[in-house]
Amino acid sequence: MSALNAPFVGRQGGRRAMATPALVVDLDALERNIAVMAAFARAAGLKLRPHAKTHKSVEIARRQIAAGAVGVCCAKLGEAEALAAGGIEGILITSPVVGPFGVERLAALAGRTPGLMAAVDHPDAVDALAASGAKLTLVVDIDPGIHRTGVADAVAALALAQRIAAAPNLTFAGVQFYCGMQQHIEDFILRREAIEERTSYLTDLVRQLTEAGLAPEIVTGGGTGTHRIDAALGAFTELQVGSYVFMDRQYNDCDLTGGGPPPFETSLMVDSRVISASHPFLVTVDAGFKAFATDGGPPPILAGAAEGATYRFMGDEQGCVIPPAGEAPPRLGEIVTFAAPHCDPTVNLYDAYHLVRGDTLVDIWPIEARGRSA
């Protein structure tokens, strides 16, 4: 797709000429989002380590670091390898890395990537990393209550931290605590109440580590949905916000400020084209299940159709746009622009971003960590 659309870069109106479906980023909105979060973290006295699982892009990671981030997070070892190959430093791998091949790759990556850290949640994993002989910096992953990853309680956290500290080639840096279930609670007050309860648990755990002589230098976690609440509660030293760079329907449905204006803009879009207009009550576009992650429902329509028009999936390759009663549908060949229902897995469906300013295609960036799930 990037090769097909490369001839349109720099051409006024080039966005309208592109092959579709195309993953599009409004560069002005992206830059504003990065700047707003960076300013927020500075004002709050927090470090920023944005989660690159959202964008999977070396160029966006570079821009986040240039704005003040201390590094980025990666969900998987493969993502970290891809970004490190692009020169990104200060990477924290937030999911456990296990198995002989995984340990071998992690050890090799640590040897060539300044500031690399990894999360662990099991003594066997720590023993395997210690046996590798590689110098590794680790954080203990704390289960926030969803039982996905993380140690179960403060006793296990302390035991794991002590195990790391006892290994001559390992360094205990702190703890990770990501409350994923709470990020999308739409009501601000309900979200704050949920995070306050979980933060109380985290604060007590950190206190026990500190009293045992293992005070965490890093307490990392939080997210786009809770960043203001997390900053106010003061338990974290750094934030792992991710989706703020793009925003999707799931986060746009949330009150992020407690009644104030939304702090971030929708910068990620999918441009599609009407390929069939044989019926007066709907048209078919070339974006279906392969164009959007489907866990967040159908994508909202941003432009190209009458206000109130809706989208329905119609298979792998197509979807339909249905105008409201009395309104005409888009014409054959016209562009319809959608927001992503869920940005992270939608990005994973594409090889490149098409950067636009208005209707001008200004650049195409590869998504280097796309598909790097191992």
Side-chain angles (χ1 to χ4, degrees), residues 37-262:
M37 183 61 84
F40 172 83
R42 282 194 299 270
L46 289 167
K47 294 179 180 179
L48 202 60
R49 199 182 303 271
H51 217 308
K53 70 174 184 176
T54 298
H55 55 73
K56 307 171 183 64
S57 160
V58 169
E59 180 60 33
I60 295 177
R62 285 176 183 154
R63 288 168 180 253
Q64 290 173 315
I65 292 169
V70 297
V72 297
C73 295
C74 289
K76 294 296 188 72
L77 176 56
E79 289 181 355
E81 290 170 328
L83 295 194
I88 302 302
E89 300 179 0
I91 297 172
L92 168 61
I93 302 171
T94 58
S95 298
V97 176
V98 301
F101 187 42
V103 170
E104 178 184 337
R105 290 165 58 202
L106 179 60
L109 185 63
R112 63 178 186 268
T113 308
L116 182 76
M117 296 188 292
V120 291
D121 70 354
H122 197 281
D124 289 353
V126 172
D127 291 347
L129 295 174
S132 75
K135 291 190 177 298
L136 294 164
T137 300
L138 305 177
V139 297
V140 174
D141 187 23
I142 312 298
D143 177 16
I146 62 176
H147 310 321
R148 182 173 63 185
T149 65
V151 296
D153 52 38
V155 173
L158 177 57
L160 203 60
Q162 290 171 331
R163 204 179 195 99
I164 295 167
N169 60 312
L170 304 181
T171 299
F172 170 67
V175 297
Q176 172 179 270
F177 191 73
Y178 175 62
C179 294
M181 287 179 60
Q182 289 78 12
Q183 297 300 319
H184 293 104
I185 298 174
E186 294 182 8
D187 183 86
F188 184 85
I189 294 175
L190 295 178
R191 193 178 336 116
R192 183 179 63 195
E193 290 174 351
I195 288 297
E196 285 175 344
E197 187 275 329
R198 288 289 78 198
T199 301
S200 176
Y201 170 73
L202 171 63
T203 301
D204 183 63
L205 187 148
V206 169
R207 177 188 58 79
Q208 293 185 52
L209 287 171
T210 302
E211 290 175 351
L214 289 165
E217 179 182 348
I218 294 172
V219 181
T220 182
T224 298
T226 61
H227 70 281
R228 293 200 174 199
I229 302 165
D230 294 324
L233 294 176
F236 289 113
T237 64
E238 63 179 46
L239 296 178
Q240 293 185 1
V241 289
S243 298
Y244 76 96
V245 292
F246 291 151
M247 298 300 290
D248 54 25
R249 190 180 70 181
Q250 291 179 325
Y251 275 116
N252 282 323
D253 286 345
C254 293
D255 174 7
L256 296 184
T257 63

